[in-house]
């Protein structure tokens, strides 16, 4: 049994504690939060588990083999580094850190010590994203042409991070998981419609060398909740509506081909294919439970997690570049130059 310490028992921490409690390979031994009321809540829900205030106290507990960090984004790096230095495996909430410099330091520290470092890119472990990755990886969709996501609602307006760091991070992590191709340019336009708050809406565009384009629309001030992504490929197209109770993914055998037909020269020489639509059956497993099983399995076997520290670093690099673009009114940032410089 892997002994787990959870740091941060606010909104998301209880989900981690519950899933670690239900996982057959792990046991929650301690929960830390510097807020007294949060500790009282944790003690009521997890009788027998020690509650403490700080990461230092978690690390003093020899039963803690691994820690899960669910504090606000600015409070990920210091506790994660302390845990790695104390020889503990680490699962950190998304985004892994507030800067790529910090993320690199965590990646190096974990590698040097042979410890598992994983970031909670929860969507990667949803049955929907796993199916999309399978369809894309298996070639059924063909060459990817576009990924077009709308992720809006009347959301929890964060005080320390913009909507890009809070919501677009999910799409950047999903793209990282479904295609090995990395973007060559990113541009982001954003606005804040609440005084003294970070940006509340943004449009992020990524360009890939293959010609693929990804567009991400995120907004905390939308009247309705929309979680809809269109993925277009040369062979098939996917509509993923995450709010659908069933049939979240629909695959359309639709497309357009240039015919080269001389007789059709007066028309547009475009052939339209409009075939069947099918909805693949998706597992009903909870993504976080799958992810925590995976984390425990990686610790036990020494395997590299699907969402390892490097995946966390790649996503933070994109978030930083999106931020620079936003500050310059949406100027595209050439990521190939950024990579050469680093
Ligand atoms: N994976 C997901 O889908 C998902 C969803 C929501 C939130 N998150 C992530 O979870 C993290 C936490 O978000 P939240 O909404 O639960 O925040 P929150 O503010 O509700 O909870 C954070 C808790 O951490 C405690 N805390 C903060 N700093 C601490 C420290 N240094 N030592 C001890 N306790 C400390 C606070 O007292 C609070 O109880 C964020 O990184 C967020 O991005 C992930």
């Amino acid at each position: 049994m892997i002994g787990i310490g959870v740091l941060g028992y606010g909104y998301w921490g209880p989900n981690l504690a519950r899933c670690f409690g239900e996982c057959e390979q792990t046991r929650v031994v301690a929960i830390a939060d510097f807020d007294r009321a949060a500790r009282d809540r944790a003690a009521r829900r997890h009788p027998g588990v020690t509650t403490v205030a700080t990461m230092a106290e978690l690390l003093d507990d020899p039963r803690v083999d691994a820690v899960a960090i669910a504090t606000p984004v600015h409070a990920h790096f210091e506790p994660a580094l302390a845990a790695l230095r104390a020889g503990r495996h680490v699962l950190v909430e998304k985004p892994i850190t507030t800067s790529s410099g910090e993320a690199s330091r965590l990646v190096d520290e974990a590698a040097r010590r042979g410890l598992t470092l994983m970031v909670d890119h929860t969507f990667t472990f949803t049955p929907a994203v796993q199916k999309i990755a399978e369809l894309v990886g298996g070639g059924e969709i063909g060459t990817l042409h576009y990924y077009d996501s709308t992720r809006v609602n009347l959301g929890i307006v964060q005080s320390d991070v913009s909507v890009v760091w809070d919501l677009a991070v999910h799409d950047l992590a999903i793209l990282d998981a479904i295609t090995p191709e990395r973007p060559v340019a990113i541009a982001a336009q954003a606005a804040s419609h609440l005084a003294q708050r970070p940006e509340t809406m943004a449009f992020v565009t990524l360009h890939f060398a293959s010609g693929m384009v990804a567009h991400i629309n995120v907004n905390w001030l939308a009247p309705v909740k929309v979680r809809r992504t269109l993925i277009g490929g040369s062979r098939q197209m996917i509509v993923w509506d995450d709010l659908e109770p069933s049939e979240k993914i629909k695959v359309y055998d639709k497309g357009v081909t240039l015919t080269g037909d001389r007789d059709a020269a007066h028309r547009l020489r475009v052939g339209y294919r409009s075939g069947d639509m099918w909805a693949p059956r998706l597992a009903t497993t909870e993504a976080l439970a799958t992810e925590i099983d995976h984390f425990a399995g990686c610790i036990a076997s020494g395997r590299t997690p699907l969402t390892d520290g490097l995946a966390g670093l790649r996503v933070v690099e994109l978030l930083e570049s999106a931020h620079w673009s936003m500050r310059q009114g949406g100027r595209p940032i050439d990521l190939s130059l950024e990579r050469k410089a680093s």
Side-chain angles (χ1 to χ4, degrees):
M1 275 285 184
I2 301 165
I4 303 291
V6 176
L7 181 77
Y9 199 80
Y11 164 64
W12 196 247
N15 292 325
L16 292 172
R18 174 178 55 77
C19 288
F20 274 116
E22 287 166 3
C23 173
E24 284 175 5
Q25 308 168 76
T26 58
R27 185 167 66 99
V28 180
V29 293
I31 296 174
D33 197 302
F34 57 40
D35 178 54
R36 177 71 191 266
R39 288 202 300 280
D40 289 346
R41 260 197 319 277
R44 272 198 307 278
R45 287 186 202 152
H46 302 273
V49 166
T50 309
T51 54
V52 293
T54 64
M55 176 58 105
E57 289 166 276
L58 277 187
L59 298 178
D60 276 344
D61 188 333
R63 299 169 304 162
V64 171
D65 304 306
V67 296
I69 298 175
T71 47
V73 184
H74 67 266
H76 287 180
F77 173 66
E78 293 293 344
L81 188 65
L84 291 169
R85 285 185 170 158
R88 291 352 197 266
H89 306 282
V90 173
L91 172 68
V92 196
E93 264 319 311
K94 59 81 192 165
I96 189 166
T97 52
T98 54
S99 76
S100 52
E102 290 177 348
S104 295
R105 281 187 64 192
L106 295 185
V107 168
D108 291 346
E109 194 69 33
R112 212 156 48 81
R113 295 174 182 273
L115 293 166
T116 299
L117 171 64
M118 180 163 153
V119 59
D120 178 10
H121 288 168
T122 320
F123 272 102
T124 303
F125 296 89
T126 57
V129 171
Q130 294 195 328
K131 177 55 77 179
I132 292 169
E134 184 189 316
L135 292 169
V136 171
E140 271 128 290
I141 306 305
T143 307
L144 283 184
H145 288 166
Y146 61 82
Y147 172 102
D148 188 5
S149 164
T150 305
R151 192 176 293 280
V152 305
N153 59 312
L154 207 54
I156 304 171
V157 176
Q158 308 285 336
S159 55
D160 62 336
V161 291
S162 75
V163 71
V164 172
W165 284 74
D166 187 49
L167 290 186
V169 59
H170 290 304
D171 291 289
L172 299 176
I174 292 164
L175 281 163
D176 193 78
I178 65 171
T179 169
E181 192 181 4
R182 303 294 163 230
V184 292
I186 188 167
Q189 288 180 308
S192 174
H193 293 112
L194 291 177
Q196 271 116 49
R197 287 281 162 156
E199 287 79 0
T200 53
M201 65 179 293
F203 304 107
V204 182
T205 310
L206 299 104
H207 290 270
F208 295 74
S210 63
M212 176 180 157
V213 177
H215 183 256
I216 303 165
N217 168 5
V218 281
N219 191 344
W220 279 323
L221 301 182
V224 291
K225 184 168 182 172
V226 183
R227 294 285 185 269
R228 204 154 196 265
T229 305
L230 305 184
I231 299 170
S234 55
R235 298 182 60 194
Q236 302 201 82
M237 303 181 193
I238 297 174
V239 177
W240 166 31
D241 188 337
D242 207 39
L243 301 185
E244 278 283 330
S246 60
E247 302 191 349
K248 285 183 189 296
I249 290 183
K250 296 193 175 102
V251 184
Y252 290 83
D253 182 16
K254 284 194 177 192
V256 170
T257 43
L258 294 180
T259 62
D261 175 2
R262 285 181 172 275
D263 293 342
H266 61 286
R267 295 197 295 268
L268 287 173
R269 289 194 187 181
V270 170
Y272 291 90
R273 192 183 71 258
S274 190
D276 291 341
M277 181 280 284
W278 64 290
R281 200 175 65 81
L282 300 180
T284 51
T285 43
E286 182 183 356
L288 200 54
T290 307
E291 177 178 339
I292 277 166
D293 270 348
H294 180 70
F295 178 59
C298 289
I299 291 174
S301 66
R303 255 185 310 139
T304 303
L306 214 50
T307 55
D308 64 350
L310 282 173
L313 168 62
R314 286 193 295 274
V315 167
V316 169
E317 282 173 344
L318 291 177
L319 290 170
E320 282 179 337
S321 297
H323 187 79
W324 295 331
S325 173
M326 270 154 50
R327 289 288 165 275
Q328 298 170 63
R331 184 177 73 80
I333 306 289
D334 185 336
L335 299 170
S336 51
L337 292 179
E338 300 284 325
R339 278 184 202 119
K340 274 188 203 127
S342 64

